[in-house]
Amino acid sequence: MFSHISGRMRLSALALGTSLALGTTVGIAQAAPLDNEPLAVRSAGPAAAPAIAAAPAAWAAGTRAYLVITTPGDTTAVRTAIANNGGSVFASYDAIGVIVAHSASASFATTMRGVSGVQKVGATRTSDVPADAYNPALPANPSQAAAPTTEPVRSDMTQIKADQAWAVNKGSATVKVGILDTGVDDQHQDLAPNFNAADSVSCAYGKTDTRVGAWRDVDQHGTHVAGTVAAAKNGKGAIGVAPGVKISSVRIAEPGTTLFFAENTICGLVWAGDHGFKVTNNSYYTDPWQFNCPDNLDQAAILEGVGRAQAYAESKGSLQVAAAGNSNVDLANKTTDSSSPNDSTPVTRTITNACLDIPAELPGVVTVSANGTSGTSKASFSNYGRDVIEVSAPGESVYSTVPGGKYASLSGTSMASPHVAGVAALLASANPAYTPADIRAKLGEQATDLACPSDARCTGTTTKNSFFGEGRVDALKAVGGSTPPPGAYFENLTDYAIADNSTVESPITVSGVTGNAPAGLKVGVDIKHTYIGDLKVDLVAPDGTVYTLHNRTGSGTDNIAQTYTVDASAEVANGVWKLRVNDNANQDTGRIDAWNLTF
């Protein structure tokens, strides 16, 4: 499922519904250069909580959803006009002048565009509003698997130095991060300690649903994203970038389709502003259009409505972080769109850079590309674009939480974006007075520069280019650290292929460490292999002494992501250490993805 979720959820596994900016197979939230003026939010009242009008007594086939845009403030006259012209008000966000209307009349939009005080009107979908909108079912509350007994540090966390940042600042419980996604499994053992139910909600269909559990996951994408941001550092399963902050679920995906329509996104962004979220993660694009074009009346209303909601959230202190998308396209040079509308029958249309993937391409939003497991290459699926991409983060084979107390590795810009949201949360924790603009600027200033690879599509400089923007985010700098925590740290992020019936070694040169290695030498191992029962894994000391870490156990299990403790006190620390992997069978292969030593 890749659709809109950041390329979309297609990102997740790439992971989810149409608009998700997920992993490898999910949808992606894309971003592109903005060449229009920022969408402004006029002055309004103190809060944007929606005024809800009575919905139709029963669902009717042919009912469509519309955004009716007017002047922020008192929308009474326009709401009355909606009722008088064959529509009903489903939700009203008066502080930004956006009304969500439903109507089965084919002439509703045309008629309302002629009403005094109405600025824009646009259909938000090319399909009917589901009957579930009028009596939403609560998502399932899955039973939970037994908690793992290990919590390995992973290569994605070492890439952005999150493992070093935790020794300085794990994040403040006063910082709230909103997960605008398919929902979150709040019962998961790695998420429950940091879950904030009081500020969680469902915004499916464009109206808040505060019933207990309405925020739960209707897929797996949102739970995976939440774990990357803030899975607890509790010795179980996985650790998030900012394991000390609080996360709230704002479910904006609709069940079944996992689509994120404009009214859902507007509801979620307004909720974020009104509930004090310092950061939100947006791994999706707003359905059904991958790109919204201002010369289309319907899409112009979507651009305005979602743009006002983002500006409102930002004005309330919330920074939005969004996935760039998983279509491997240049967002700075748009030409065609063949995937929209994704709620009915897609058509191929010519587009320009004026057509935006939202929310990722809106002013003020941090647009994130995905780098590969090497840390220095663009992930093959990731969108890119000169002056569109702001920063990058790991997005391939990211291990995180999924519903039911489980874990999975997913790929996509949907997976990269929450790494950046986590670093933004650390910045907010270390600097409580920072504004969204401050955090956004620091993400770029502190990022690790990544040079263009040998790829003609990558343009720009080492400090700023079309693949990585200003570089890969740095969690250690975000918390004010500049040196590793006690214990010298060395790593090798180069991939080494593991063929059938072969032996491969990955070296790390250790220098500057006085004396012998410690009795508690930490060996972090990240091996991708489809059957680890084939493998023998050894640590080889500089003098050739072999310490066995894994010896053909784990029948039927994929991958090794674990930190081992070795008594290496008899070994001189300085020299070349090796991770040796021996494959002892046919059929299953893999690679050494990364490994590290902490003295």
Side-chain angles (χ1 to χ4, degrees):
M1 308 169 60
F2 295 151
S3 60
H4 51 293
I5 295 177
S6 200
R8 234 189 203 275
M9 282 200 161
R10 305 164 181 141
L11 295 179
S12 198
L14 292 159
L16 287 181
T18 61
S19 34
L20 299 180
L22 285 185
T24 301
T25 52
V26 227
I28 301 165
Q30 301 162 319
L34 297 176
D35 53 5
N36 58 343
E37 289 300 312
L39 296 163
V41 175
R42 301 168 185 81
S43 60
I52 305 299
W59 175 82
T63 299
R64 297 291 172 91
Y66 299 86
L67 297 182
V68 181
I69 311 293
T70 185
T71 303
D74 185 356
T75 66
T76 302
V78 175
R79 285 189 275 127
T80 298
I82 289 170
N84 290 340
N85 287 283
S88 61
V89 174
F90 189 72
S92 182
Y93 299 91
D94 291 2
I96 60 172
V98 176
I99 301 166
V100 180
H102 287 179
S103 179
S105 170
S107 61
F108 176 76
T110 301
T111 301
M112 286 302 301
R113 287 172 187 140
V115 171
S116 176
V118 172
Q119 298 167 357
K120 287 182 172 64
V121 179
T124 65
R125 36 184 106 202
T126 62
S127 57
D128 289 358
V129 174
D132 187 64
Y134 298 129
N135 186 24
L138 286 173
N141 184 12
S143 58
Q144 301 293 311
T149 57
T150 59
E151 188 180 54
V153 174
R154 309 181 312 276
S155 61
D156 58 316
M157 295 298 167
T158 61
Q159 271 193 41
I160 64 170
K161 302 178 184 176
D163 55 332
Q164 298 178 44
W166 300 328
V168 181
N169 187 340
K170 297 180 182 66
S172 169
T174 64
V175 171
K176 294 188 285 189
V177 179
I179 309 298
L180 276 62
D181 215 293
T182 60
V184 174
D185 178 6
D186 55 301
Q187 305 297 309
H188 195 292
Q189 67 268 357
D190 245 341
L191 300 179
N194 292 334
F195 192 78
N196 172 22
D199 293 307
S200 294
V201 70
S202 170
C203 274
Y205 311 113
K207 180 165 65 175
T208 57
D209 180 352
T210 58
R211 291 177 297 166
V212 172
W215 57 71
R216 291 195 176 119
D217 210 331
V218 295
D219 191 271
Q220 63 172 354
H221 190 263
T223 300
H224 193 277
V225 164
T228 300
V229 174
K233 196 174 188 300
N234 56 6
K236 304 172 184 178
I239 313 173
V241 176
V245 305
K246 294 297 182 182
I247 49 175
S248 298
S249 173
V250 181
R251 178 167 69 87
I252 60 175
E254 297 182 5
T257 63
T258 60
L259 292 177
F260 299 60
F261 292 103
E263 59 268 37
N264 311 4
T265 302
I266 290 166
C267 172
L269 290 170
V270 170
W271 180 272
D274 286 341
H275 288 260
F277 296 171
K278 289 293 291 185
V279 181
T280 71
N281 187 80
N282 302 266
S283 289
Y284 62 92
Y285 68 75
T286 301
D287 298 299
W289 307 99
Q290 183 173 8
F291 300 101
N292 286 274
C293 300
D295 59 355
N296 178 286
L297 293 177
D298 291 327
Q299 294 163 40
I302 292 172
L303 284 166
E304 182 71 18
V306 177
R308 288 188 185 188
Q310 138 56 20
Y312 177 84
E314 186 175 354
S315 75
K316 293 286 187 175
S318 178
L319 175 70
Q320 279 55 254
V321 177
N326 298 330
S327 301
N328 190 27
V329 300
D330 185 352
L331 297 174
N333 293 284
K334 302 187 186 89
T335 56
T336 59
D337 173 17
S338 299
S339 62
S340 307
N342 60 14
D343 66 335
S344 56
T345 303
V347 297
T348 297
R349 58 181 179 144
T350 299
I351 62 172
T352 69
N353 285 352
C355 303
L356 305 180
D357 181 336
I358 59 175
E361 293 192 276
L362 292 172
V365 176
V366 178
T367 308
V368 182
S369 67
N371 52 254
T373 53
S374 70
T376 58
S377 63
K378 181 183 81 69
S380 60
F381 49 78
S382 180
N383 288 351
Y384 57 98
R386 183 81 173 269
D387 297 324
V388 178
I389 302 303
E390 298 194 36
V391 289
S392 71
E396 284 187 343
S397 299
V398 174
Y399 184 77
S400 187
T401 50
V402 293
K406 300 176 183 178
Y407 301 83
S409 293
L410 302 177
S411 297
T413 56
S414 284
M415 282 59 259
S417 181
H419 285 89
V420 177
V423 174
L426 291 177
L427 275 164
S429 298
N431 305 276
Y434 271 10
T435 66
D438 293 332
I439 298 173
R440 184 184 181 196
K442 286 295 182 183
L443 287 170
E445 291 171 12
Q446 296 177 347
T448 300
D449 292 338
L450 296 178
C452 279
S454 298
D455 189 325
R457 299 173 302 167
C458 187
T459 61
T461 65
T462 298
T463 57
K464 187 176 183 181
N465 57 60
S466 58
F467 274 15
F468 310 112
E470 294 190 76
R472 187 178 61 241
V473 291
D474 188 316
L476 182 60
K477 288 182 180 177
V479 295
S482 57
T483 58
Y489 180 87
F490 304 85
E491 65 182 349
N492 188 335
L493 298 177
T494 302
D495 290 353
Y496 288 83
I498 305 169
D500 284 332
N501 293 299
S502 68
T503 298
V504 62
E505 294 181 341
S506 174
I508 288 178
T509 299
V510 174
S511 62
V513 179
T514 302
N516 285 6
L521 177 66
K522 302 296 183 183
V523 186
V525 176
D526 187 354
I527 293 174
K528 300 294 188 294
H529 194 281
T530 50
Y531 192 86
I532 65 173
D534 290 353
L535 302 181
K536 183 173 184 289
V537 182
D538 299 313
L539 175 69
V540 183
D543 68 356
T545 302
V546 175
Y547 299 85
T548 297
L549 307 177
H550 170 93
N551 193 4
R552 305 189 69 177
T553 59
S555 176
T557 303
D558 294 349
N559 304 334
I560 299 174
Q562 188 170 337
T563 298
Y564 300 90
T565 301
V566 173
D567 182 356
S569 57
E571 308 293 335
V572 174
N574 292 335
V576 179
W577 296 73
K578 298 176 183 178
L579 187 72
R580 177 183 294 163
V581 180
N582 174 242
D583 185 295
N584 295 276
N586 295 323
Q587 298 183 350
D588 292 276
T589 61
R591 67 182 185 272
I592 300 174
D593 202 34
W595 73 289
N596 57 67
L597 294 169
T598 304
F599 287 80

